[in-house]
Amino acid sequence: MNILGLFGLCLMLTMSPAIAAPPAVKTADFATSAVIACQELAASSRLRPLSIAVIDTSGTRILFARQPGASIATADTALLKAKSAWRMGVPTALLANVPANDASTLQLLGIAAISGGAPLKLADGTLVGSIGVSGAKVTDDDGRCAAAAAAVVH
């Protein structure tokens, strides 16, 4: 299945009335844990200052952290990566290698096809939000931080 088919499937599933609402989750708890895990990895890896955005299942920003010295532009990029992971249901790093035609379409749809976004899921696979990270010198480092954050939510 190409990326556009995947996007259409994700869009269809998110709009389906048959999908039950996720169970009540203490949003602040998972969001805070995700941001702390990301910041700890960044500190231990001596990464450049980051911006970190967490959104809930409706795509609403619920937590944002911008480390001192992080570029102002990283704030918008972190939110874009979080929303991209939420819309597609996969880490944004997986979108980085899509063919040029599909990448252009993703860009038109406002989806970041670069590392740094990850869906946040409970152990049973229930989506509770997503995280976006921006600011590291290498985009793979943004992805590592997002993955560390996603791991603690399980």
Side-chain angles (χ1 to χ4, degrees):
M1 177 181 296
N2 69 19
I3 197 70
L4 294 178
L6 179 62
F7 179 72
L9 178 63
C10 291
L11 183 62
M12 184 174 60
L13 290 175
T14 58
M15 297 178 78
S16 171
I19 297 176
V25 175
K26 291 189 176 180
T27 304
D29 290 347
F30 85 77
T32 302
S33 297
V35 169
I36 289 171
C38 185
Q39 289 179 327
E40 286 175 348
L41 178 66
S44 67
S45 300
R46 301 174 63 84
L47 301 180
R48 290 168 52 177
L50 304 172
S51 286
I52 306 162
V54 180
I55 62 174
D56 64 13
T57 55
S58 71
T60 303
R61 183 176 62 188
I62 55 173
L63 187 61
F64 177 77
R66 186 169 147 246
Q67 296 176 324
S71 163
I72 293 172
T74 62
D76 291 335
T77 306
L79 184 58
L80 175 63
K81 290 177 180 183
K83 288 191 174 201
S84 298
W86 167 72
R87 287 179 183 161
M88 299 303 288
V90 297
T92 57
L94 295 180
L95 305 173
N97 296 320
V98 298
N101 293 353
D102 291 339
S104 296
T105 303
L106 289 176
Q107 186 177 11
L108 287 172
L109 296 171
I111 295 180
I114 54 174
S115 185
L120 301 175
K121 297 180 181 181
L122 300 178
D124 66 1
T126 303
L127 181 70
V128 293
S130 65
I131 188 165
V133 181
S134 181
K137 188 172 184 178
V138 179
T139 58
D140 289 345
D141 290 337
D142 290 342
R144 284 183 32 231
C145 287
V152 300
V153 174
H154 284 106

